[in-house]
Amino acid sequence: MPEKVLEKEERVVGQGARRLDAEAKVRGEARYADDLSFPGMLHVRAIRSEKPHARILCLDLSRVEAHPQVVCIVTPEDIPGENIVPIIYRDMPLLAEDVVRYVGEPVALIGATSREAAEEAAALAKIAYEELPAVFDPLEAAGPEAPQVAVPEAAEEGNVFNHMVIRKGDVSEGFAQADVVVEGEYRVGYQEHAYLEPQGVIAVPEEGGIAIYGTMQCPYYVQNAVANVLGLPLSKVRVVQVATGGGFGGKEDVPSHLAAMAAVVAWKSGRPAKLVYDRAEDMATTSKRHPGLIRYRTGARRDGTLVAVEVEFYYNAGAYQTLSSAVLWRGLVHAAGPYRIPHVKVDAYSVATNTVPCGAFRGFGSPQVIFAHESQMDELAGRLGMDPLELRRRNALRVGDETATGQLLTESVGLPQAIERAAELSRWEELKAEVEEFNRREPFKRRGIGVSTVMYGVGMGAKAPSLDKAGAYVKLEADGSVTVAVGNTEMGQGAITVLAQIAAEALGASLFDVQLAPVDTSRVPDSGPTVASRTTTVAGMAVLDAARKLRARVESAARELFSCDEVELSGSRVWPARAPEKAVPLAEVARWMWAHNWDMGATGWAEGAPVDWDPKTGQGKAYFVYSYACHIAEVEVDLLTGEACVRRFWAVHDSGKIVNPETARGQVAGGIAQGIGYALMEELRSEGGRLVAPSFTAYHIPTTMDVPEGYVIDFVEAPYSGGPFGAKGLGEVPLMASHAAVANAISAATRGRLREYPAIPERVLALVEGK
């Protein structure tokens, strides 16, 4: 059965979690940034703008300075390096100097002896502004009469940060061949990351440099930002990741800003400085999923063959670029979906507005367009009188097909198998009959079934190929245990378990003898950012490379120890070939190597396969490999209240070889829940550039009462030759597919078409009533 988990896998995963707890206790370390404390530590608070767009006329901090517990105040003039937090572009200041561009933008920093004192003092600041015209809607901001928001050096034209295109074939010709054409406009709003602990960092001065401790995804991003702001070489900035309870992209770029703020206070005061947001500040001032307006036009022949798609979409980037150009590019590449379409035209825009800057979020620009293209597929199926699963089956990409960017798929395309397996597990035809029978019987409730199929480019892709690399170091200790060092972070996704498994399998060691080193930029190699579902694939290959090199050395030592020509190694035991009765623990070989001064460590390196891209046409090999999924959701709608709930859910994924089925199922289950929230309930309203009620009281996320009692989760494995043991990425794909399946199920149940997220009861009732 797909839900069944092997006992051995359960023991491996459980032991890994217990090992992490035990390690924290043995070292006597706090597990989260908010638990850490250093002697003489200051608490940092940002003084923030209350205006969406204004010129700063006067910053009066005299009353702040007079507060008895304020030790340090930092304004732009106090920044020893550059007043820029570099991400992709260099447009976002650490502290606004002349103009503020969004509500909540930092203007100055306070270091006080307690958190409460810092908050009190921040409220004493007086700022005089000259208000400037503000714009909050991306379509309006892209117009020629809009006030200038974007820093000109970071924008292509006006407030348009980036305009990207795909041009494949001739869409005019394609639509001329179409028997049926559907069009639609779709809107999505913000989505909040809702990670467990809010953003938090501590900066500690060290001799000639500084150390940063924080919850984060990308330590080397943080190192670069802090070095830039302090004017230090990278070698003088040490970054240590502490326990991170989820990131979902929200801890990719934002920790660089927090770390730089804490660092300048620590640098000026000469004392440790701690900056930990409360939930309200975190939600009000940090990045979100980009709101978007998406327009689609799709054409097909009578037999369901897709012939053309034309897409135009606008993402609200907020006041600064942050990661928007990369988010937009991924949305662009995925806009046509996982289908064979000969004629494709896509125009994608990221636009600056006077709102909080948006950034990375699980799926990274693709969920917005997936909502639209999967809605279009269901609308086409309805117009053609065709089963929506069958329409996807006929058009799904296969080996030998070309993507919308003209990339030839030569291996590892498991989407057709995923569709068949999802149909089998859900008993598709019986399920449809059950739903029809329920809807005939029930006057006040109605059920619907929704399908989605998606593809996901693994890794950084042709937008940032220089980041798709990883280093690793694997060391055999003298007692036979193994230490693995990589620069990728654990944040709940199971990376420490999977990377340990890869090392253990390649080295012939027991999993329980393998330990991942804590992530500290002075101790681990740069393995690239922990983003884009790349850790297993790219960092895993680096670990595999190092472990194989080390194994060859261990086998050579064992041959000398046994005075034989061939040895075998498995489960941390070594023996002469065909003589298992002579087996000795790996520890014995390790002690021999140590005593004879052998090198007991090995470095590994990996990089993504070559990619290429023509920005003028949007054609090229966008990613080195893709993962795929097919999701099916059954939803029940209350026709009187508009409430919708997901009753049952089936998810089938192709992520190549699944290294650890249990943690993989956890990833899928979590992504489904996050997608249900995106589709049904997560709404964060903004008025005049200010987020309304940024708290979990008003912003609802799914609880155990909002998800099905059980998911049916399975995998079809289409191995990728460039991944460790054939593995590909998984982490982001479940969210990408789940929300669209839920949205299509709601449309089927209401017999209307959901065109805006989230499907709160008011919107669902409007669909029921045909509005």
Side-chain angles (χ1 to χ4, degrees):
M1 292 294 290
E3 304 94 328
K4 184 172 176 59
V5 179
L6 299 177
E7 273 187 31
K8 181 179 178 182
E9 291 159 3
E10 290 178 336
R11 289 199 302 273
V12 167
V13 176
Q15 192 269 355
R18 290 193 297 275
R19 183 176 62 196
L20 183 63
D21 285 332
E23 177 191 330
K25 291 173 184 174
V26 168
R27 292 199 308 253
E29 295 179 359
R31 294 195 60 189
Y32 297 97
D34 204 23
D35 297 327
L36 291 171
S37 184
F38 293 84
M41 186 173 69
L42 299 179
H43 294 262
V44 180
R45 182 76 176 184
I47 296 170
R48 298 183 181 276
S49 167
E50 288 293 318
K51 305 294 182 184
H53 199 197
R55 195 175 311 281
I56 300 172
L57 300 179
C58 178
L59 176 60
D60 182 359
L61 301 178
S62 57
R63 299 200 319 167
V64 177
E65 194 171 6
H67 192 288
Q69 289 179 268
V70 170
V71 175
C72 178
I73 296 174
V74 173
T75 61
E77 295 76 21
D78 299 308
I79 295 172
E82 187 180 9
N83 185 21
I84 289 291
V85 180
I87 301 175
I88 296 176
Y89 291 79
R90 304 178 68 85
D91 62 326
M92 185 167 71
L94 178 65
L95 301 174
E97 200 157 356
D98 299 312
V99 174
V100 292
R101 290 179 169 86
Y102 68 95
V103 172
E105 183 166 9
V107 174
L109 301 168
I110 297 168
T113 55
S114 72
R115 183 169 183 158
E116 294 75 17
E119 291 175 358
E120 289 173 9
L124 300 175
K126 291 185 177 180
I127 308 175
Y129 299 100
E130 175 194 345
E131 292 198 45
L132 300 173
V135 60
F136 311 113
D137 178 83
L139 279 182
E140 184 182 341
E145 304 301 319
Q148 184 68 31
V149 180
V151 175
E153 293 78 11
E156 292 183 8
E157 182 179 357
N159 290 322
V160 176
F161 278 141
N162 298 100
H163 172 208
M164 300 178 184
V165 304
I166 289 177
R167 299 290 187 266
K168 179 186 179 185
D170 182 340
V171 290
S172 297
E173 179 185 335
F175 283 113
Q177 298 170 7
D179 298 307
V180 175
V181 176
V182 297
E183 297 184 54
E185 182 175 291
Y186 309 85
R187 293 177 181 268
V188 294
Y190 291 112
Q191 188 178 18
E192 167 64 29
H193 299 91
Y195 27 66
L196 288 180
E197 78 286 341
Q199 303 276 356
V201 297
I202 298 174
V204 182
E206 295 185 332
E207 188 173 349
I210 200 159
I212 304 294
Y213 300 83
T215 172
M216 65 186 71
Q217 293 179 230
C218 307
Y220 283 90
Y221 284 10
V222 172
Q223 183 190 43
N224 183 54
V226 171
N228 187 72
V229 167
L230 294 184
L232 292 175
L234 293 171
S235 60
K236 294 290 186 180
V237 178
R238 186 169 68 92
V239 180
V240 181
Q241 184 224 15
V242 300
T244 300
F248 311 115
K251 293 181 180 176
E252 178 177 348
D253 57 313
V254 173
S256 295
H257 207 152
L258 271 84
M261 287 194 284
V264 293
V265 172
W267 195 256
K268 182 177 179 180
S269 66
R271 295 167 64 167
K274 180 178 188 175
L275 175 57
V276 177
Y277 288 170
D278 61 24
R279 187 62 69 175
E281 184 176 21
D282 193 297
M283 292 181 71
T285 65
T286 66
S287 66
K288 310 279 176 279
R289 190 183 299 285
H290 291 67
L293 169 69
I294 306 114
R295 295 167 176 155
Y296 264 73
R297 185 173 176 232
T298 309
R301 295 194 178 100
R302 285 190 182 87
D303 65 358
T305 302
L306 297 176
V307 291
V309 63
E310 185 172 9
V311 185
E312 180 183 62
F313 66 92
Y314 296 82
Y315 284 173
N316 184 347
Y320 297 105
Q321 270 271 15
T322 67
L323 293 164
S324 288
S325 66
V327 169
L328 186 76
W329 186 80
R330 187 174 281 272
L332 174 86
V333 172
H334 291 78
Y339 307 115
R340 290 184 308 279
I341 309 177
H343 305 286
V344 181
K345 179 183 179 184
V346 185
D347 286 273
Y349 302 85
S350 61
V351 185
T353 64
N354 293 114
T355 58
V356 63
C358 291
F361 200 124
R362 193 176 192 176
F364 208 76
S366 65
Q368 297 94 316
V369 294
I370 288 170
F371 168 43
H373 75 57
E374 288 305 281
S375 295
Q376 288 271 291
M377 290 297 284
D378 268 27
E379 291 183 74
L380 265 178
R383 289 279 301 277
L384 292 165
M386 184 178 292
D387 182 295
L389 194 64
E390 176 60 26
L391 180 62
R392 290 166 171 84
R393 181 185 284 121
R394 292 188 184 189
N395 291 283
L397 288 168
R398 291 167 167 78
V399 170
D401 287 340
E402 278 192 358
T403 67
T405 71
Q407 179 174 347
L408 178 66
L409 300 175
T410 59
E411 64 167 325
S412 190
V413 184
L415 182 58
Q417 295 87 346
I419 293 172
E420 297 307 322
R421 184 62 174 147
E424 177 187 350
L425 291 173
S426 65
R427 300 175 298 110
W428 177 251
E429 295 300 330
E430 294 176 43
L431 178 63
K432 290 194 297 182
E434 289 173 11
V435 167
E436 289 173 4
E437 171 58 29
F438 177 88
N439 291 342
R440 281 194 297 268
R441 187 176 68 245
E442 293 291 332
F444 303 119
K445 293 184 177 180
R446 196 178 297 147
R447 292 177 183 170
I449 312 167
V451 186
S452 70
T453 49
V454 302
M455 65 188 294
Y456 178 80
V458 177
M460 309 301 290
K463 184 70 171 70
S466 62
L467 294 177
D468 244 342
K469 56 195 174 190
Y473 179 69
V474 179
K475 178 187 177 187
L476 178 65
E477 305 290 353
D479 64 354
S481 61
V482 179
T483 300
V484 177
V486 293
N488 295 108
T489 58
E490 173 63 55
M491 48 188 166
Q493 81 276 38
I496 57 173
T497 301
V498 166
L499 294 177
Q501 283 183 268
I502 291 170
E505 179 72 18
L507 190 57
S510 166
L511 174 62
F512 304 106
D513 290 333
V514 180
Q515 177 68 50
L516 268 289
V519 177
D520 177 333
T521 56
S522 68
R523 296 180 59 187
V524 301
D526 185 353
S527 302
T530 310
V531 301
S533 302
R534 63 182 294 278
T535 299
T536 296
T537 311
V538 184
M541 284 300 288
V543 170
L544 187 62
D545 182 43
R548 285 172 171 168
K549 291 175 183 175
L550 183 56
R551 178 173 182 142
R553 205 172 301 150
V554 170
E555 289 177 344
S556 180
R559 286 194 293 271
E560 290 200 28
L561 177 65
F562 286 115
S563 299
C564 67
D565 295 329
E566 189 177 348
V567 296
E568 296 183 27
L569 172 58
S570 179
S572 289
R573 295 186 68 77
V574 191
W575 60 92
R578 296 171 294 281
E581 70 279 2
K582 296 181 180 180
V584 299
L586 178 59
E588 188 169 327
V589 180
R591 284 192 294 269
W592 188 93
M593 293 175 70
W594 183 87
H596 290 78
N597 297 333
W598 282 48
D599 184 357
M600 300 176 69
T603 58
W605 185 255
E607 54 186 297
V611 291
D612 60 82
W613 186 254
D614 179 358
K616 293 181 180 178
T617 62
Q619 295 295 287
K621 184 179 180 181
Y623 293 95
F624 54 77
V625 74
Y626 296 85
S627 294
Y628 303 87
C630 178
H631 284 199
I632 297 173
E634 182 189 10
V635 167
E636 184 172 292
V637 171
D638 188 314
L639 301 180
L640 300 179
T641 66
E643 292 175 288
C645 68
V646 181
R647 296 188 68 252
R648 290 185 284 180
F649 206 102
W650 297 266
V652 181
H653 285 254
D654 163 34
S655 287
K657 177 64 178 177
I658 300 300
V659 176
N660 188 300
E662 176 68 356
T663 57
R665 286 187 177 89
Q667 282 277 43
V668 175
I672 292 169
Q674 211 166 21
I676 288 172
Y678 188 39
L680 290 186
M681 64 189 70
E682 297 186 33
E683 184 173 43
L684 193 58
R685 293 187 299 111
S686 176
E687 294 179 2
R690 186 186 303 272
L691 294 174
V692 178
S695 72
F696 288 143
T697 301
Y699 183 84
H700 301 150
I701 59 175
T703 69
T704 54
M705 302 296 291
D706 300 304
V707 298
E709 287 187 11
Y711 306 110
V712 178
I713 296 169
D714 203 11
F715 301 95
V716 295
E717 297 181 332
Y720 168 51
S721 61
F725 307 109
K728 301 188 289 190
L730 171 64
E732 301 187 62
V733 189
L735 180 146
M736 293 164 52
S738 59
H739 69 91
V742 172
N744 280 335
I746 289 172
S747 294
T750 59
R751 299 167 189 170
R753 174 50 52 184
L754 180 68
R755 297 189 186 276
E756 184 174 1
Y757 277 176
I760 55 176
E762 294 86 342
R763 290 194 181 111
V764 174
L765 273 181
L767 293 176
V768 171
E769 295 166 2
K771 295 179 181 178

